[in-house]
Amino acid sequence: MRMRSVAPVLIGALALGVLAAPAASAATAAGNPAPKITKAVVSSLVLGPKTTKTWTASVTVTDESGIKGVKLMPWPAMVPDFAPKASDVADEGAAATCKATSATTSVCTYKESINSHADLGDNLGAGRWYVAVQVTAKDGGTTFAPKATSFTFKRQASLTAKASAKSVKKNSTVTVTGQLKAADWKSGKVVNYGKQSVTLQFRKSGTTAWKAVKTVKADAKGAVKATAKVSAAGSWRYAFAGNGSVAAVNSAGATVSLKK
């Protein structure tokens, strides 16, 4: 499927913008209504440096004559000119397995194993993707949707938090240090992820809610550091909200008690 070779092509597409984005289209047979896509659901994946997960898609389609087949092709939203045409999906798209739920409606599914390092291969592939779908009815009518639905591939992140002391006097301060890292699909390793905003949070002992204390920015190597006043015993952690290409993550909590 086209997803397999998208990483090297993305580099050229970003520089050249080689393809023209198509519009949705439909063709009818003998005046009959074109088939319709009534629902499209695909899985978003968070992937480590060399993680393999199953990407799944489910498309519900209907036509008065019944459904002959469905083909689909994922493509990266970060390169709009890379959108496939109906002919691309018809020739190179993945054929979904369709099961009729009635004489007119079918649910068509597709699964593929994706490895972040081998199949995506470059961090350029992280972010939002669309799925183009080509539907063919039994009477020959077709429908093409270049953006039937969207999903994301995101790089997995990790985050730590360590308090400068396990026990302090009430109303004194504690310094919490941490490290933000993210999967690098190109190298197949976990690397430091710098210059990102993270939030120091506190949870009072005996409660379940985490409350934001302050937001700080990691340095160029992903190291974070913040100092806060301690008015009660509890746990401190860092939270990274994520962004378009890297998934959100919370660190484990570092417990700080009060000295008697």
Side-chain angles (χ1 to χ4, degrees):
M1 191 164 65
R2 192 169 184 164
M3 183 190 297
R4 291 291 184 183
S5 58
V6 74
V9 180
L10 266 175
I11 298 173
L14 282 168
L16 304 175
V18 295
L19 299 177
S25 63
T28 63
N32 294 328
K36 294 181 180 180
I37 300 170
T38 59
K39 185 178 181 180
V41 179
V42 298
S43 58
S44 292
L45 301 180
V46 175
L47 300 164
K50 290 184 178 180
T51 303
T52 298
K53 289 187 177 181
T54 300
W55 181 81
T56 61
S58 176
V59 183
T60 304
V61 290
T62 183
D63 186 82
E64 291 182 358
S65 68
I67 301 301
K68 180 179 179 180
V70 167
K71 284 192 171 183
L72 51 86
M73 181 181 288
W75 60 278
M78 65 286 290
V79 189
D81 289 341
F82 199 60
K85 299 177 182 178
S87 58
D88 296 326
V89 180
D91 294 340
E92 304 173 32
T97 300
C98 294
K99 292 186 178 181
T101 58
S102 71
T104 59
T105 302
S106 291
V107 176
C108 303
T109 58
Y110 179 80
K111 294 182 179 181
E112 180 166 354
S113 181
I114 300 296
N115 179 275
S116 54
H117 179 62
D119 298 325
L120 295 174
D122 197 297
N123 298 325
L124 287 172
R128 189 182 185 192
W129 287 60
Y130 291 114
V131 177
V133 175
Q134 175 83 4
V135 184
T136 303
K138 289 183 178 180
D139 63 7
T142 61
T143 291
F144 172 63
K147 299 179 181 179
T149 189
S150 65
F151 67 99
T152 57
F153 285 135
K154 288 193 175 185
R155 297 159 59 193
Q156 187 177 52
S158 65
L159 183 57
T160 62
K162 182 178 180 181
S164 57
K166 293 184 178 181
S167 182
V168 299
K169 292 182 179 180
K170 186 174 182 179
N171 295 324
S172 62
T173 60
V174 67
T175 298
V176 183
T177 56
Q179 181 69 44
L180 179 63
K181 296 185 177 184
D184 180 10
W185 296 341
K186 186 174 183 179
S187 67
K189 299 178 180 180
V190 175
V191 298
N192 294 333
Y193 191 46
K195 299 182 178 181
Q196 304 297 313
S197 294
V198 297
T199 301
L200 179 65
Q201 298 179 334
F202 176 71
R203 184 182 66 190
K204 187 177 180 179
S205 295
T207 67
T208 58
W210 289 90
K211 295 184 178 181
V213 177
K214 62 173 64 176
T215 298
V216 296
K217 182 167 284 190
D219 67 15
K221 294 184 179 181
V224 292
K225 182 178 181 180
T227 299
K229 185 177 181 179
V230 182
S231 58
S235 296
W236 299 83
R237 76 176 185 184
Y238 280 115
F240 172 58
N243 53 39
S245 60
V246 178
V249 66
N250 296 324
S251 73
T255 301
V256 177
S257 63
L258 294 181
K259 291 182 177 180
K260 296 180 179 180

